[in-house]
Amino acid sequence: KAGVTQTPRYLIKTRGQQVTLSCSPISGHRSVSWYQQTPGQGLQFLFEYFSETQRNKGNFPGRFSGRQFSNSRSEMNVSTLELGDSALYLCASSWDSSGNTIYFGEGSWLTVV
Amino acid sequence: AQRVTQPEKLLSVFKGAPVELKCNYSYSGSPELFWYVQYSRQRLQLLLRHISRESIKGFTADLNKGETSFHLKKPFAQEEDSAMYYCALSGLREYGNKLVFGAGTILRVKS
């Protein structure tokens, strides 16, 4: 079965713009989480959605937001981009929100110039 | 607060030598611990989790609550083990699927 799919894989944006990243979880998975990966801060949790509800949120400013649709697909949005938002954004899915194995996508590489 | 510490950025060993990747954690509740691995140009994937007590690809890890450690071990390293290894913690009851990751350790196995 298909793994977690993220689009776009690579993108370049200008400071001040906004960006939307998309994630399609593994079929049947209802939990989707997002992580930011940078060389300096490593892997940091952004948020988790389960059945269209935000289950948990990390310590990121309000410019970072997300949502989940009824088909479990998820999007995350970053508004007013800053240079420091340049990172690999990873999406992960799981059957539910109670500790089943979490599967990661390949990520979306965002460069802010 | 949840925290995971991996003290070594890079661990370099010869093929056939034993490997131990260190992981210490801080969490006031009952944690669940994981090891994730990322091979070159591949996605992050689960290697093992403490509750399953499995040995995957020859790797084992034991949760030591007294020392708050979850070190990853393999008796004989192979070249294909070269990868980035992340230790991660989850506090399911409070935090759902949120994972707190350590900084990662690059394992380099030399021939």
Side-chain angles (χ1 to χ4, degrees), chain A residues 3-4 31 35 37 43 45 48 55-56 94 96-102 104-106, chain B residues 32 34 36 38 41 43-46 49 86 92-99 101-102:
Chain A
V4 179
S31 166
Y35 292 80
Q37 186 174 24
L43 280 154
F45 173 80
E48 179 195 2
R55 174 83 165 76
N56 224 324
S94 183
D96 60 20
S97 191
S98 62
N100 282 291
T101 300
I102 296 170
F104 283 84
E106 293 180 294
Chain B
E32 183 158 2
F34 307 82
Y36 279 82
Q38 189 166 31
R41 288 189 283 279
R43 64 185 70 195
L44 195 60
Q45 57 187 283
L46 178 68
R49 55 196 299 175
Y86 293 95
L92 287 175
R93 283 188 189 164
E94 296 169 282
Y95 301 110
N97 282 344
K98 174 186 174 183
L99 291 171
F101 285 90

Side-chain angles (χ1 to χ4, degrees), chain A residues 57-68:
Chain A
K57 191 177 189 315
N59 295 325
F60 279 82
R63 300 185 297 107
F64 291 81
S65 63
R67 58 178 177 167
Q68 187 180 32

Side-chain angles (χ1 to χ4, degrees), chain A residues 3-111:
Chain A
V4 179
T5 306
Q6 293 186 243
T7 56
R9 291 293 321 282
Y10 305 92
L11 67 165
I12 300 174
K13 290 287 188 177
T14 304
R15 260 187 313 176
Q17 286 187 312
Q18 74 163 15
V19 67
T20 299
L21 308 177
S22 181
C23 173
S24 293
I26 291 171
S27 178
H29 285 192
R30 293 181 295 156
S31 166
V32 174
S33 304
W34 289 90
Y35 292 80
Q36 182 196 64
Q37 186 174 24
T38 60
Q41 300 297 319
L43 280 154
Q44 293 188 286
F45 173 80
L46 280 156
F47 25 66
E48 179 195 2
Y49 286 87
F50 178 69
S51 294
E52 301 179 66
T53 302
Q54 189 177 83
R55 174 83 165 76
N56 224 324
K57 191 177 189 315
N59 295 325
F60 279 82
R63 300 185 297 107
F64 291 81
S65 63
R67 58 178 177 167
Q68 187 180 32
F69 302 97
S70 58
N71 61 359
S72 293
R73 195 176 66 82
S74 177
E75 288 181 348
M76 68 162 282
N77 184 76
V78 188
S79 62
T80 321
L81 283 165
E82 300 176 0
L83 297 179
D85 297 331
S86 295
L88 177 65
Y89 290 88
L90 292 173
C91 173
S93 77
S94 183
W95 179 256
D96 60 20
S97 191
S98 62
N100 282 291
T101 300
I102 296 170
Y103 297 87
F104 283 84
E106 293 180 294
S108 291
W109 284 97
L110 170 65
T111 301

